[in-house]
Amino acid sequence: MNETYKKNGFDKPEVCFSAKLISVVSMDFETRSIRSNAGGARSSTTKNSRRGVTRRTNASNHRKNANKSPSHHSGKRNGKRKRSIGRRILFTLLALFILGIVAVAGTLAYMYAKTEIPKPESIALAQKTTVYYADGKTPIGSYAEQNREIIDCSTLPKYVGNAIISSENRTFYQDSGIDLRGIGRAFLNNVTKGTRQGGSTITQQYAERYYLGETTSYAGKLREAILSLKIAQTENKDTVLCNYMNTIYLGRGAYGIEAASKAYFNKDAKNLTISEAAMLAGIIPSPTYWDPAVNEKEAKLRFTRVIRIMREDNHITAKQAKDASMPKSVTPSTQNAYAGQQGYLLRMVKDELISSKAFTESELDTGGYKITTTIDKAKQDLMFQTASPSTKNGVLPAGLEVGGISVDPQTGAIVSLYAGDDYLKRELNNASQSTFQVGSTMKVFTLLGAIQDDVNLDTYFNGNSPRTFSSVGKAVANDGGVSYGYINLYTALANSVNTVFMDLNDHVTPAKTASIAKDAGIQGTIDSKSAFNTLGVVSLSIMDLARGYSTLANDGAKPTLHIVANVQNQAGKEQYKASNATSKVFDANDVALLQKAMTGVIQNGTGSAARSIGKTIAGKSGTANDNTAADFVGFTPSTLTAFGLWYPSSTGGAEEVPTFLGYPHGSGYPAYMFAQYMSQALESEPDQSFPTATDNGKVGGPDGTWGTGSNYSKSTASPTPTASPSESTSATASPSTSATPSQSSSPQPTTSAPTTSASTESSKAELKDSQTQQNGTSE
């Protein structure tokens, strides 16, 4: 085409375009001038031939009319003047019309010269982002404003593109890129019927979608036409066709030939047959209404038309045309990507990436990224089977809510979680958003504070119930009112003894307990003034507990919990990678000593259900005030898992959890779920031990005033816990022969568990008013 321009003396396409427009207008002007001058010449000749006669006649008439009124002569002059003015107006209008044509032509030529092919519209390049499990191969779901997968068209059979050409623009490889007749029809229809039509060649449709973002205004359509001309002169036709195929909407939410091929035939576009390609091409003008699942008759008519044209234009052979038959499409999928448990995962992935400032939501919806998560598919399925009430055949109380999470505390990677059964039915995430009173799981932070204050865990405290503490002005009882006598801190943690930890927190201080919990990673609000914070009256989420406990599992180094491992762009280049870095917040030996105490919870205390796992495990249980919730957190050095349950009221408050399956108010059931999950999750894992701890603290604390003091004997017999108080409730009561401390030759707990039900955790604090005996929040 550029050779043609050069033959006509032009070096640039836009100069030729401008010159052609001006030439057309100039020719029209010259033609009109010749016709006008020809008429003028004839009039002039006639007048000259009669000029002599006219002069003589005028002289004679002048003499004859010398004495007559001048009115007649004046009228002739007025008539001539009027005709002269009319002609001037006519010529002026004609000149203005010609000048208008010249101006329009000049404007169009200028617009053409100045129009540059812009960057493609983001809408044209938008692709769905797919989220995968940790294996990077199994999809969880996708994000998409438009379901599009851009492909290299060289992988497609040639008949795929030819089918589209046959359907939409038979002269595609020969035309200039615009259809003037089509534009004229569209303009007439728009004016007379008030509807919007556009022209289209494939090049025009390509310009509209790929560059202009589906223009509808007349100015936009004009720009589209000019751009189409320029594209046709500067871009390869195959490139235009490929970009068109990757852009066009084909129904069922699918943009582009690849997404459409999967939506209609569940296969890649490179594997489309001639018949399948023809069917897809045929429904392009109205894919929603001509979808074979909606209007099979019309879809078949369109299919037949495309096959006929493909044969007429020699895109296929006569045999191929004869063998072609209307293909059978798959049933349209109506499943929402967020349906089911995967909806929670998709939402968490998006929230994490947006909060990291690495991506915007729009970028994730249109960028075509590959997101690999930290979620292990097998363990995620195991978590669902373990935690979901829907898998328990109705044996759990109706309305009971459960949350669960399992993480790698060394990296912060979330391995699995239970957030709910169906995101579309209930968007509130039970793992990261729902909160409940966590109970005595807070006691570990108070115990760590005591370790930091150089308190030896062999220090003995009064574990009888009830006891009154001046710091809160209330009586506090152990679970079930059980009195443990004088016990060391190992036994107190194993059995979650409220009275001991209220005493301990008065020394550590509530502010330090809250500060340690925050340093560990807990993000929820913790009361830093009340000693009751060690009994867990604070409401937190399961994920928040996992954050705090991961630091304890990782020897005092705090990880950042995350669900995204990495993000790659369409070319496979890494755009984002999660950090597995940790920050040291606690002394490793201090944490090792705490871990040692927490193993006693499993071996001798409220977490005994986890002994069945057969691994070295540390943990802690918790039960909320008034029995409205229960939870358990446990870990090995490489895996931490937490479960919680609660019973929300119809108004959004908290109600007492009903007793079920032998678990009083659900107490003990989270430890059971923990055992069920971890026994399978760790089945192929070797047993891992915690670091050896050295207790450098002093019995009785740094000043000898903690518990029973530094000179308390540890050689007397252990008491048998009683179901009723056996001594004074004074926080400073001295030991008596009826309540002697447990014998301990080493820091490892040796005291037997209280003689209560094995499924009942031994510390539920019911924080009532100052005149009422406290019945515990323990765990």
PDB file of all heavy atoms in Angstrom, residues 640-663:
ATOM      1  N   LEU A 640       1.898 -26.036  64.305  1.00  0.00           N
ATOM      2  CA  LEU A 640       1.014 -25.527  65.356  1.00  0.00           C
ATOM      3  C   LEU A 640      -0.421 -25.567  64.854  1.00  0.00           C
ATOM      4  O   LEU A 640      -0.696 -25.161  63.726  1.00  0.00           O
ATOM      5  CB  LEU A 640       1.389 -24.096  65.728  1.00  0.00           C
ATOM      6  CG  LEU A 640       0.522 -23.421  66.806  1.00  0.00           C
ATOM      7  CD1 LEU A 640       1.375 -22.495  67.672  1.00  0.00           C
ATOM      8  CD2 LEU A 640      -0.641 -22.626  66.212  1.00  0.00           C
ATOM      9  N   THR A 641      -1.319 -26.047  65.689  1.00  0.00           N
ATOM     10  CA  THR A 641      -2.733 -26.145  65.311  1.00  0.00           C
ATOM     11  C   THR A 641      -3.601 -25.647  66.463  1.00  0.00           C
ATOM     12  O   THR A 641      -3.317 -25.927  67.626  1.00  0.00           O
ATOM     13  CB  THR A 641      -3.111 -27.589  64.957  1.00  0.00           C
ATOM     14  OG1 THR A 641      -2.297 -28.033  63.872  1.00  0.00           O
ATOM     15  CG2 THR A 641      -4.579 -27.686  64.546  1.00  0.00           C
ATOM     16  N   ALA A 642      -4.636 -24.903  66.111  1.00  0.00           N
ATOM     17  CA  ALA A 642      -5.547 -24.363  67.121  1.00  0.00           C
ATOM     18  C   ALA A 642      -6.986 -24.577  66.684  1.00  0.00           C
ATOM     19  O   ALA A 642      -7.318 -24.449  65.493  1.00  0.00           O
ATOM     20  CB  ALA A 642      -5.284 -22.872  67.329  1.00  0.00           C
ATOM     21  N   PHE A 643      -7.842 -24.919  67.653  1.00  0.00           N
ATOM     22  CA  PHE A 643      -9.268 -25.069  67.406  1.00  0.00           C
ATOM     23  C   PHE A 643     -10.044 -24.296  68.477  1.00  0.00           C
ATOM     24  O   PHE A 643      -9.615 -24.223  69.639  1.00  0.00           O
ATOM     25  CB  PHE A 643      -9.695 -26.538  67.456  1.00  0.00           C
ATOM     26  CG  PHE A 643      -9.251 -27.355  66.279  1.00  0.00           C
ATOM     27  CD1 PHE A 643      -8.116 -28.155  66.358  1.00  0.00           C
ATOM     28  CD2 PHE A 643      -9.955 -27.306  65.087  1.00  0.00           C
ATOM     29  CE1 PHE A 643      -7.701 -28.908  65.284  1.00  0.00           C
ATOM     30  CE2 PHE A 643      -9.541 -28.057  63.997  1.00  0.00           C
ATOM     31  CZ  PHE A 643      -8.419 -28.858  64.088  1.00  0.00           C
ATOM     32  N   GLY A 644     -11.161 -23.756  68.065  1.00  0.00           N
ATOM     33  CA  GLY A 644     -12.046 -23.091  69.016  1.00  0.00           C
ATOM     34  C   GLY A 644     -13.488 -23.360  68.654  1.00  0.00           C
ATOM     35  O   GLY A 644     -13.814 -23.649  67.494  1.00  0.00           O
ATOM     36  N   LEU A 645     -14.383 -23.293  69.643  1.00  0.00           N
ATOM     37  CA  LEU A 645     -15.815 -23.418  69.381  1.00  0.00           C
ATOM     38  C   LEU A 645     -16.549 -22.424  70.270  1.00  0.00           C
ATOM     39  O   LEU A 645     -16.085 -22.067  71.352  1.00  0.00           O
ATOM     40  CB  LEU A 645     -16.294 -24.850  69.621  1.00  0.00           C
ATOM     41  CG  LEU A 645     -16.125 -25.472  71.011  1.00  0.00           C
ATOM     42  CD1 LEU A 645     -17.296 -25.114  71.929  1.00  0.00           C
ATOM     43  CD2 LEU A 645     -16.014 -26.992  70.881  1.00  0.00           C
ATOM     44  N   TRP A 646     -17.670 -21.963  69.785  1.00  0.00           N
ATOM     45  CA  TRP A 646     -18.477 -21.002  70.531  1.00  0.00           C
ATOM     46  C   TRP A 646     -19.926 -21.126  70.069  1.00  0.00           C
ATOM     47  O   TRP A 646     -20.223 -21.738  69.043  1.00  0.00           O
ATOM     48  CB  TRP A 646     -17.942 -19.591  70.351  1.00  0.00           C
ATOM     49  CG  TRP A 646     -17.869 -19.124  68.923  1.00  0.00           C
ATOM     50  CD1 TRP A 646     -18.772 -18.396  68.224  1.00  0.00           C
ATOM     51  CD2 TRP A 646     -16.783 -19.393  68.001  1.00  0.00           C
ATOM     52  NE1 TRP A 646     -18.346 -18.176  66.929  1.00  0.00           N
ATOM     53  CE2 TRP A 646     -17.130 -18.769  66.775  1.00  0.00           C
ATOM     54  CE3 TRP A 646     -15.576 -20.079  68.103  1.00  0.00           C
ATOM     55  CZ2 TRP A 646     -16.299 -18.828  65.656  1.00  0.00           C
ATOM     56  CZ3 TRP A 646     -14.752 -20.129  66.981  1.00  0.00           C
ATOM     57  CH2 TRP A 646     -15.117 -19.511  65.774  1.00  0.00           C
ATOM     58  N   TYR A 647     -20.807 -20.492  70.822  1.00  0.00           N
ATOM     59  CA  TYR A 647     -22.240 -20.670  70.570  1.00  0.00           C
ATOM     60  C   TYR A 647     -22.922 -19.302  70.525  1.00  0.00           C
ATOM     61  O   TYR A 647     -23.385 -18.794  71.549  1.00  0.00           O
ATOM     62  CB  TYR A 647     -22.854 -21.533  71.676  1.00  0.00           C
ATOM     63  CG  TYR A 647     -24.143 -22.218  71.293  1.00  0.00           C
ATOM     64  CD1 TYR A 647     -24.161 -23.166  70.276  1.00  0.00           C
ATOM     65  CD2 TYR A 647     -25.338 -21.927  71.952  1.00  0.00           C
ATOM     66  CE1 TYR A 647     -25.337 -23.819  69.933  1.00  0.00           C
ATOM     67  CE2 TYR A 647     -26.519 -22.577  71.607  1.00  0.00           C
ATOM     68  CZ  TYR A 647     -26.509 -23.527  70.598  1.00  0.00           C
ATOM     69  OH  TYR A 647     -27.677 -24.170  70.248  1.00  0.00           O
ATOM     70  N   PRO A 648     -22.960 -18.678  69.339  1.00  0.00           N
ATOM     71  CA  PRO A 648     -23.547 -17.343  69.244  1.00  0.00           C
ATOM     72  C   PRO A 648     -25.071 -17.378  69.372  1.00  0.00           C
ATOM     73  O   PRO A 648     -25.725 -18.335  68.937  1.00  0.00           O
ATOM     74  CB  PRO A 648     -23.132 -16.876  67.853  1.00  0.00           C
ATOM     75  CG  PRO A 648     -22.956 -18.137  67.066  1.00  0.00           C
ATOM     76  CD  PRO A 648     -22.454 -19.157  68.043  1.00  0.00           C
ATOM     77  N   SER A 649     -25.617 -16.327  69.955  1.00  0.00           N
ATOM     78  CA  SER A 649     -27.073 -16.212  70.062  1.00  0.00           C
ATOM     79  C   SER A 649     -27.622 -15.633  68.770  1.00  0.00           C
ATOM     80  O   SER A 649     -26.880 -15.172  67.896  1.00  0.00           O
ATOM     81  CB  SER A 649     -27.453 -15.302  71.236  1.00  0.00           C
ATOM     82  OG  SER A 649     -27.046 -13.971  70.971  1.00  0.00           O
ATOM     83  N   SER A 650     -28.936 -15.645  68.645  1.00  0.00           N
ATOM     84  CA  SER A 650     -29.580 -15.121  67.434  1.00  0.00           C
ATOM     85  C   SER A 650     -29.365 -13.624  67.289  1.00  0.00           C
ATOM     86  O   SER A 650     -29.492 -13.065  66.201  1.00  0.00           O
ATOM     87  CB  SER A 650     -31.084 -15.434  67.465  1.00  0.00           C
ATOM     88  OG  SER A 650     -31.673 -14.875  68.636  1.00  0.00           O
ATOM     89  N   THR A 651     -29.035 -12.957  68.385  1.00  0.00           N
ATOM     90  CA  THR A 651     -28.819 -11.503  68.344  1.00  0.00           C
ATOM     91  C   THR A 651     -27.341 -11.156  68.199  1.00  0.00           C
ATOM     92  O   THR A 651     -26.974  -9.985  68.242  1.00  0.00           O
ATOM     93  CB  THR A 651     -29.375 -10.850  69.623  1.00  0.00           C
ATOM     94  OG1 THR A 651     -28.728 -11.425  70.766  1.00  0.00           O
ATOM     95  CG2 THR A 651     -30.873 -11.054  69.721  1.00  0.00           C
ATOM     96  N   GLY A 652     -26.489 -12.155  68.077  1.00  0.00           N
ATOM     97  CA  GLY A 652     -25.073 -11.901  67.891  1.00  0.00           C
ATOM     98  C   GLY A 652     -24.252 -11.986  69.154  1.00  0.00           C
ATOM     99  O   GLY A 652     -23.023 -11.863  69.109  1.00  0.00           O
ATOM    100  N   GLY A 653     -24.890 -12.193  70.301  1.00  0.00           N
ATOM    101  CA  GLY A 653     -24.166 -12.330  71.551  1.00  0.00           C
ATOM    102  C   GLY A 653     -23.641 -13.737  71.741  1.00  0.00           C
ATOM    103  O   GLY A 653     -23.635 -14.548  70.817  1.00  0.00           O
ATOM    104  N   ALA A 654     -23.195 -14.031  72.971  1.00  0.00           N
ATOM    105  CA  ALA A 654     -22.648 -15.356  73.281  1.00  0.00           C
ATOM    106  C   ALA A 654     -23.566 -16.081  74.251  1.00  0.00           C
ATOM    107  O   ALA A 654     -24.016 -15.507  75.239  1.00  0.00           O
ATOM    108  CB  ALA A 654     -21.255 -15.221  73.873  1.00  0.00           C
ATOM    109  N   GLU A 655     -23.852 -17.337  73.967  1.00  0.00           N
ATOM    110  CA  GLU A 655     -24.676 -18.164  74.841  1.00  0.00           C
ATOM    111  C   GLU A 655     -23.854 -19.354  75.344  1.00  0.00           C
ATOM    112  O   GLU A 655     -22.830 -19.715  74.752  1.00  0.00           O
ATOM    113  CB  GLU A 655     -25.915 -18.680  74.093  1.00  0.00           C
ATOM    114  CG  GLU A 655     -26.916 -17.581  73.758  1.00  0.00           C
ATOM    115  CD  GLU A 655     -28.194 -18.146  73.139  1.00  0.00           C
ATOM    116  OE1 GLU A 655     -28.226 -19.371  72.883  1.00  0.00           O
ATOM    117  OE2 GLU A 655     -29.129 -17.369  72.898  1.00  0.00           O
ATOM    118  N   GLU A 656     -24.314 -19.947  76.406  1.00  0.00           N
ATOM    119  CA  GLU A 656     -23.648 -21.109  76.965  1.00  0.00           C
ATOM    120  C   GLU A 656     -23.696 -22.271  75.973  1.00  0.00           C
ATOM    121  O   GLU A 656     -24.739 -22.581  75.401  1.00  0.00           O
ATOM    122  CB  GLU A 656     -24.333 -21.516  78.270  1.00  0.00           C
ATOM    123  CG  GLU A 656     -23.648 -22.643  79.010  1.00  0.00           C
ATOM    124  CD  GLU A 656     -24.316 -22.945  80.334  1.00  0.00           C
ATOM    125  OE1 GLU A 656     -24.039 -22.226  81.317  1.00  0.00           O
ATOM    126  OE2 GLU A 656     -25.130 -23.892  80.383  1.00  0.00           O
ATOM    127  N   VAL A 657     -22.540 -22.895  75.766  1.00  0.00           N
ATOM    128  CA  VAL A 657     -22.462 -24.026  74.840  1.00  0.00           C
ATOM    129  C   VAL A 657     -23.159 -25.230  75.469  1.00  0.00           C
ATOM    130  O   VAL A 657     -22.858 -25.596  76.608  1.00  0.00           O
ATOM    131  CB  VAL A 657     -20.990 -24.379  74.542  1.00  0.00           C
ATOM    132  CG1 VAL A 657     -20.928 -25.606  73.628  1.00  0.00           C
ATOM    133  CG2 VAL A 657     -20.267 -23.198  73.902  1.00  0.00           C
ATOM    134  N   PRO A 658     -24.079 -25.862  74.746  1.00  0.00           N
ATOM    135  CA  PRO A 658     -24.740 -27.059  75.297  1.00  0.00           C
ATOM    136  C   PRO A 658     -23.736 -28.194  75.478  1.00  0.00           C
ATOM    137  O   PRO A 658     -22.737 -28.289  74.758  1.00  0.00           O
ATOM    138  CB  PRO A 658     -25.779 -27.415  74.225  1.00  0.00           C
ATOM    139  CG  PRO A 658     -25.937 -26.174  73.397  1.00  0.00           C
ATOM    140  CD  PRO A 658     -24.609 -25.493  73.429  1.00  0.00           C
ATOM    141  N   THR A 659     -23.997 -29.048  76.414  1.00  0.00           N
ATOM    142  CA  THR A 659     -23.162 -30.243  76.601  1.00  0.00           C
ATOM    143  C   THR A 659     -23.468 -31.239  75.474  1.00  0.00           C
ATOM    144  O   THR A 659     -24.626 -31.453  75.127  1.00  0.00           O
ATOM    145  CB  THR A 659     -23.443 -30.885  77.960  1.00  0.00           C
ATOM    146  OG1 THR A 659     -23.017 -29.978  78.996  1.00  0.00           O
ATOM    147  CG2 THR A 659     -22.701 -32.202  78.119  1.00  0.00           C
ATOM    148  N   PHE A 660     -22.435 -31.835  74.902  1.00  0.00           N
ATOM    149  CA  PHE A 660     -22.636 -32.791  73.806  1.00  0.00           C
ATOM    150  C   PHE A 660     -21.512 -33.818  73.826  1.00  0.00           C
ATOM    151  O   PHE A 660     -20.380 -33.532  74.231  1.00  0.00           O
ATOM    152  CB  PHE A 660     -22.687 -32.079  72.452  1.00  0.00           C
ATOM    153  CG  PHE A 660     -21.426 -31.340  72.089  1.00  0.00           C
ATOM    154  CD1 PHE A 660     -20.409 -31.960  71.362  1.00  0.00           C
ATOM    155  CD2 PHE A 660     -21.238 -30.018  72.487  1.00  0.00           C
ATOM    156  CE1 PHE A 660     -19.251 -31.282  71.029  1.00  0.00           C
ATOM    157  CE2 PHE A 660     -20.069 -29.341  72.156  1.00  0.00           C
ATOM    158  CZ  PHE A 660     -19.079 -29.965  71.426  1.00  0.00           C
ATOM    159  N   LEU A 661     -21.827 -35.026  73.423  1.00  0.00           N
ATOM    160  CA  LEU A 661     -20.857 -36.120  73.295  1.00  0.00           C
ATOM    161  C   LEU A 661     -20.027 -36.323  74.570  1.00  0.00           C
ATOM    162  O   LEU A 661     -18.870 -36.745  74.510  1.00  0.00           O
ATOM    163  CB  LEU A 661     -19.918 -35.866  72.108  1.00  0.00           C
ATOM    164  CG  LEU A 661     -20.566 -35.789  70.721  1.00  0.00           C
ATOM    165  CD1 LEU A 661     -19.527 -35.424  69.669  1.00  0.00           C
ATOM    166  CD2 LEU A 661     -21.243 -37.102  70.365  1.00  0.00           C
ATOM    167  N   GLY A 662     -20.603 -36.019  75.703  1.00  0.00           N
ATOM    168  CA  GLY A 662     -19.884 -36.193  76.959  1.00  0.00           C
ATOM    169  C   GLY A 662     -18.961 -35.045  77.308  1.00  0.00           C
ATOM    170  O   GLY A 662     -18.236 -35.117  78.317  1.00  0.00           O
ATOM    171  N   TYR A 663     -18.939 -33.966  76.511  1.00  0.00           N
ATOM    172  CA  TYR A 663     -18.102 -32.808  76.782  1.00  0.00           C
ATOM    173  C   TYR A 663     -18.955 -31.719  77.434  1.00  0.00           C
ATOM    174  O   TYR A 663     -19.783 -31.094  76.752  1.00  0.00           O
ATOM    175  CB  TYR A 663     -17.467 -32.272  75.497  1.00  0.00           C
ATOM    176  CG  TYR A 663     -16.536 -33.267  74.848  1.00  0.00           C
ATOM    177  CD1 TYR A 663     -16.965 -34.062  73.779  1.00  0.00           C
ATOM    178  CD2 TYR A 663     -15.240 -33.424  75.319  1.00  0.00           C
ATOM    179  CE1 TYR A 663     -16.117 -34.989  73.201  1.00  0.00           C
ATOM    180  CE2 TYR A 663     -14.375 -34.347  74.733  1.00  0.00           C
ATOM    181  CZ  TYR A 663     -14.814 -35.121  73.685  1.00  0.00           C
ATOM    182  OH  TYR A 663     -13.969 -36.055  73.119  1.00  0.00           O
TER     183      TYR A 663
END
